[in-house]
Amino acid sequence: MEHSVWLPKRRLGDFRMSLTITVIGLGQMGGNMALTLKAAGFAVTGSDVFEAARSRLDALGLAVVAPDALPTSDVYLLSLPTSAHVREVIEQSPGLLTLAPKGSVIVDTSTSDPAVSRELAEKVVAAGLQWLDAPVSGGPKGAASGKLGMLLGGDESTIERVTPMLEAMSAKRTHVGGAGSGHVVKLANNYLCAAHLLTTAEAVAMASKAGVDPAACLAGINSGSGRSAISEVNFPEWVLSERFDSGFTTGLMRKDLRLAREAAEQLGLPLPLLQAVVDAWHENTDYPVDSDDFNHITTPILACATQAESNE
């Protein structure tokens, strides 16, 4: 059985020049990852079904091609919205199972359904290719700075082969098991993130109603055992500032929560708190709407304290 291990940074040396990389999916995450890898010295080509995305990256100096003109590469790095998109790229259009040269590596950085990932991984290996799921955290800013966190699911030999690329993209990498394991842990992480947004908002609302400044409340929480990345980063960075521009949408978080619930159901595992969090995020799809920044889920909770004060 494989165990979780931290994979530390090491010198890239000349290995970076030996990997050719095609990035498929040039949104905020994929586009920034492609530019980061190019800046690190890799030969990178980008592709996207949307011409506007290709044009944007072309203007930034990245070599881009249409999906039907993918070059031969050592690595095909996928940054796509859903498992359905990943399946399409691998099995249908452009069809990496037949298009990618034998021995090349497919790396899925999307947040995907673990069951689908394991199914696709089997097909990829059967086709003479290698598989690695590598979902990421850190948002567009982390992708642009090469400071992402990555959860790796796959063989150690595959990880070793693409380590120079992973090192250029990320500050932290954790190998959590075989194919699909990275996506399992990513769903677990996003479940906790979604829950912490709700619970931290309720805690701050309670303190605010009691006359405590929200920033002071957070300072207190962050000095104690109740702190989390949500209280330490999200609230000061995007919630209290009202910037709400993290680059991750409510719709994507709702999708990830549904995937987490489905994974639990497939395992026959009753998780009532997970179901409660899923329900809370889907209770009012009019606000926040799917296109809103996911931190907006805190807004109606925090507004309750203000509304209560105005009614007194």
Side-chain angles (χ1 to χ4, degrees), residues 30 33 54 65 99 107 188 237 272 310:
M33 284 190 280
R54 299 197 303 270
V65 296
L99 176 68
V107 180
E237 186 80 6
S310 64

Side-chain angles (χ1 to χ4, degrees), residues 108-305:
D108 181 17
T109 67
S110 320
T111 300
S112 298
D113 182 334
V116 173
S117 295
R118 287 175 173 140
E119 176 194 342
L120 291 175
E122 290 181 2
K123 294 181 179 181
V124 164
V125 172
L129 311 173
Q130 297 180 51
W131 170 273
L132 184 66
D133 43 272
V136 297
S137 60
K141 183 177 179 180
S145 62
K147 304 287 186 187
L148 291 169
M150 305 186 82
L151 298 166
L152 307 178
D155 293 339
E156 290 186 5
S157 59
T158 303
I159 295 172
E160 179 63 25
R161 182 179 173 193
V162 298
T163 288
M165 179 189 77
L166 301 179
E167 288 179 341
M169 297 168 59
S170 62
K172 294 180 180 178
R173 299 162 299 285
T174 310
H175 185 198
V176 295
S181 298
H183 289 137
V184 170
V185 179
K186 178 61 174 177
L187 293 181
N189 176 83
N190 283 15
Y191 159 44
L192 289 175
C193 177
H196 291 164
L197 274 166
L198 298 174
T199 55
T200 304
E202 289 188 353
V204 171
M206 179 180 67
S208 178
K209 175 62 177 174
V212 178
D213 180 76
C217 172
L218 287 170
I221 290 172
N222 290 335
S223 70
S225 59
R227 67 187 182 277
S228 68
I230 296 300
S231 64
E232 292 182 327
V233 178
N234 292 52
F235 261 74
E237 186 80 6
W238 296 300
V239 178
L240 296 189
S241 69
E242 298 184 347
R243 284 184 21 231
F244 296 109
D245 59 355
S246 71
F248 190 70
T249 67
T250 299
L252 287 175
M253 179 57 87
R254 285 173 174 149
K255 180 264 293 183
D256 293 351
L257 286 170
R258 292 193 297 269
L259 286 176
R261 179 183 61 191
E262 290 167 9
E265 290 173 348
Q266 291 168 5
L267 294 168
L269 188 63
L271 296 177
L273 289 180
L274 169 58
Q275 183 60 57
V277 172
V278 175
D279 290 343
W281 275 79
H282 289 79
E283 184 177 13
N284 183 4
T285 55
D286 290 329
Y287 190 84
V289 297
D290 282 351
S291 58
D292 283 340
D293 185 275
F294 82 120
N295 291 288
H296 265 300
I297 197 69
T298 63
T299 301
I301 300 172
L302 296 173
C304 289

Side-chain angles (χ1 to χ4, degrees), residues 71-74 76 96 98-105 128-129:
T72 297
S73 298
D74 297 311
Y76 295 88
L96 293 179
T98 55
L99 176 68
K102 303 297 183 184
S104 59
V105 185
L129 311 173

Side-chain angles (χ1 to χ4, degrees), residues 39-59:
F42 293 95
V44 183
T45 303
S47 184
D48 197 288
V49 294
F50 295 107
E51 183 178 354
R54 299 197 303 270
S55 297
R56 180 178 68 86
L57 270 297
D58 177 64

